[in-house]
Amino acid sequence: LLCLTLAFVAPALAHDPLKITPLAERTVDALPPGNLYWRIENFAEVPAAQAAAGPLALVAQSAGKVWLFTLVPAAGTTGAGTKVADVGPIPRVDAPRYLLRINEASGAPGSVTPVHTHPGSEAFYVLRGVQSIRGPGDTLRVAAGSAEAGRGAGVPMEVSSAGPEDLLALVMFVVDATRPFSSPAKMP
């Protein structure tokens, strides 16, 4: 009877993994001083976004749109795109080199990542669904059309699709480029 019960209950408890797709990245030697924000803008075409991109910017395509993500010391716009959001301030990390990366996170309700850490900070902009970021002591929930700065370096987290519809989110990273991008972890 126990084996029969486990055969039916175990699949119901299992969740599909959240799909993580890297969209753009670059390494840089230095960050601006002070507070840091991710400025998110939309452009009609990739060449226009690339023309507006500076040394701390990444161009990506997702959800049928062209996105420009720029790491800046203060909120604002390039003046060339349509402003979507400013996210921050984000937790700083000190490193000899920095990796700036944009990932796309997608998945059905209940899909989840393993518990992990990053050697830097991440921020989230949700296009569809609800993203849940569980950490020690609390859970961030980010709904469609909203942005949120995440936790700092080395903080364990588990990210999931927590709404009634499929999740589609853009995730912005500033991490130590000399360390592994992601490491398995346990929640304290």
Side-chain angles (χ1 to χ4, degrees):
L1 184 58
L2 179 61
C3 289
L4 244 173
T5 302
L6 288 175
F8 288 102
V9 173
L13 296 176
H15 294 287
D16 290 331
L18 197 64
K19 182 178 178 187
I20 307 298
T21 306
L23 300 180
E25 68 178 37
R26 77 174 350 151
T27 56
V28 298
D29 291 328
L31 301 176
N35 288 333
L36 295 174
Y37 295 81
W38 278 106
R39 177 188 310 143
I40 307 171
E41 297 172 279
N42 284 136
F43 284 78
E45 298 176 344
V46 170
Q50 289 171 331
L56 298 175
L58 297 164
V59 176
Q61 294 183 69
S62 179
K65 294 183 177 183
V66 176
W67 302 86
L68 176 63
F69 301 88
T70 307
L71 193 60
V72 295
T77 65
T78 62
T82 302
K83 184 175 176 179
V84 176
D86 283 320
V87 188
I90 61 168
R92 290 188 70 91
V93 60
D94 289 322
R97 289 189 53 79
Y98 301 92
L99 173 69
L100 309 181
R101 178 186 279 181
I102 307 301
N103 282 354
E104 181 181 80
S106 60
S111 56
V112 63
T113 66
V115 177
H116 63 282
T117 64
H118 296 287
S121 64
E122 64 185 294
F124 311 92
Y125 181 71
V126 176
L127 300 170
R128 183 176 65 239
V130 177
Q131 187 171 35
S132 174
I133 305 97
R134 184 173 70 94
D138 71 344
T139 300
L140 299 172
R141 290 179 60 87
V142 187
S146 297
E148 185 73 41
R151 297 172 177 88
V155 177
M157 70 182 78
E158 179 183 65
V159 181
S160 64
S161 175
E165 65 179 313
D166 288 0
L167 173 69
L168 181 60
L170 299 170
V171 187
M172 299 141 277
F173 294 91
V174 179
V175 299
D176 183 338
T178 66
R179 297 184 50 207
F181 178 74
S182 181
S183 299
K186 292 187 181 202
M187 201 63 70

